[in-house]
Amino acid sequence: MKNNLTQQENRKALALEAKDMLAGAAFPFMLTLILSATVMSFIAYGGGNDLGIQILILVAGEALLIAATVIFGKQNGVAAYKKTVQNAQKREAASTDIRATAHVGEYAVYKSVVIAAIACVPFVIVEIVYAAFPNDVCRFILMYVFGWAYYPFALPKLSPWLNLILVIPFIAVHTTAYIWGGKTEKKRQSALEKQEMQRAEKHKK
């Protein structure tokens, strides 16, 4: 936050930033739930005891998750860079909007990491409880709510603590897509700015 903000403004800006990140994490979180409740759930029922079919379903489900994460991660990057441009324009116009003066919601790579991490918090909590104190309730939640992170190590019957490793590639994919989205929007904004300059030059002539 900018140093010229009051303590009250800083608190408001932090609250708005947190709200913005939670909104960005909502869709990635929802897609993990949807994919786990649909595609991943077939591992338990459709796959039966056939490990080959279970692995095939798992691979398909993980591929869909990666694709969806790329889409939402890129969109988060695009939206963030748009806010960066919009806030810059407001500051140039001497706007007193706290979102503009405090740079709320603007593009920053660390925000992408935080957004993806927030989306994984519910899984991490349930996984830690299950790994420390195995129980049917947590196992059911992991299978049908967070199957994307449960099955990769559960199928070969490895330690449940290893499931936490899956958070890393999820965050990495989202962050990479976020950066891609930001760069894409930056190019688009540069092209628009160039077009505006060309139009201004024509009007001068």
Side-chain angles (χ1 to χ4, degrees):
M1 304 303 166
K2 293 299 181 181
N3 293 328
N4 58 346
L5 297 177
T6 65
Q7 288 186 346
Q8 184 178 358
E9 288 174 329
N10 270 322
R11 286 195 293 270
K12 184 177 180 180
L14 286 170
L16 289 171
E17 191 72 74
K19 183 179 178 181
D20 186 81
M21 289 188 182
L22 285 171
F27 284 112
F29 175 67
M30 288 303 296
L31 79 88
T32 62
L33 298 187
I34 293 170
L35 284 173
S36 293
T38 55
V39 179
M40 296 300 183
S41 64
F42 279 101
I43 293 176
Y45 290 103
N49 294 318
D50 191 323
L51 182 60
I53 293 177
Q54 290 178 330
I55 292 175
L56 184 62
I57 296 172
L58 175 62
V59 171
E62 297 293 352
L64 287 173
L65 175 66
I66 291 172
T69 303
V70 168
I71 292 171
F72 285 116
K74 183 181 179 183
Q75 184 55 42
N76 280 338
V78 168
Y81 197 85
K82 282 183 178 179
K83 288 179 184 177
T84 300
V85 174
Q86 292 168 356
N87 285 349
Q89 292 172 342
K90 289 180 180 180
R91 288 192 293 273
E92 288 177 4
S95 172
T96 57
D97 182 0
I98 187 66
R99 290 181 177 274
T101 56
H103 300 255
V104 174
E106 294 187 12
Y107 179 89
V109 175
Y110 83 88
K111 292 181 181 179
S112 174
V113 175
V114 173
I115 288 170
I118 290 173
C120 293
V121 168
F123 158 69
V124 171
I125 293 173
V126 176
E127 181 59 48
I128 289 175
V129 172
Y130 176 71
F133 309 100
N135 61 86
D136 291 337
V137 174
C138 286
R139 183 170 179 271
F140 179 85
I141 294 173
L142 289 170
M143 288 174 64
Y144 298 104
V145 180
F146 306 113
W148 64 275
Y150 171 76
Y151 283 111
F153 292 111
L155 288 182
K157 299 179 180 179
L158 298 177
S159 171
W161 288 106
L162 292 174
N163 297 346
L164 294 170
I165 295 174
L166 274 298
V167 170
I168 297 174
F170 179 81
I171 293 175
V173 170
H174 182 272
T175 301
T176 301
Y178 179 94
I179 294 171
W180 178 27
K183 288 183 177 180
T184 300
E185 183 60 23
K186 183 178 181 179
K187 289 180 180 179
R188 193 183 78 85
Q189 292 290 342
S190 296
L192 290 174
E193 186 178 347
K194 186 176 180 180
Q195 288 175 2
E196 288 297 324
M197 290 177 63
Q198 290 174 343
R199 287 173 187 165
E201 287 296 326
K202 287 182 180 179
H203 283 302
K204 287 180 181 180
K205 295 179 180 179

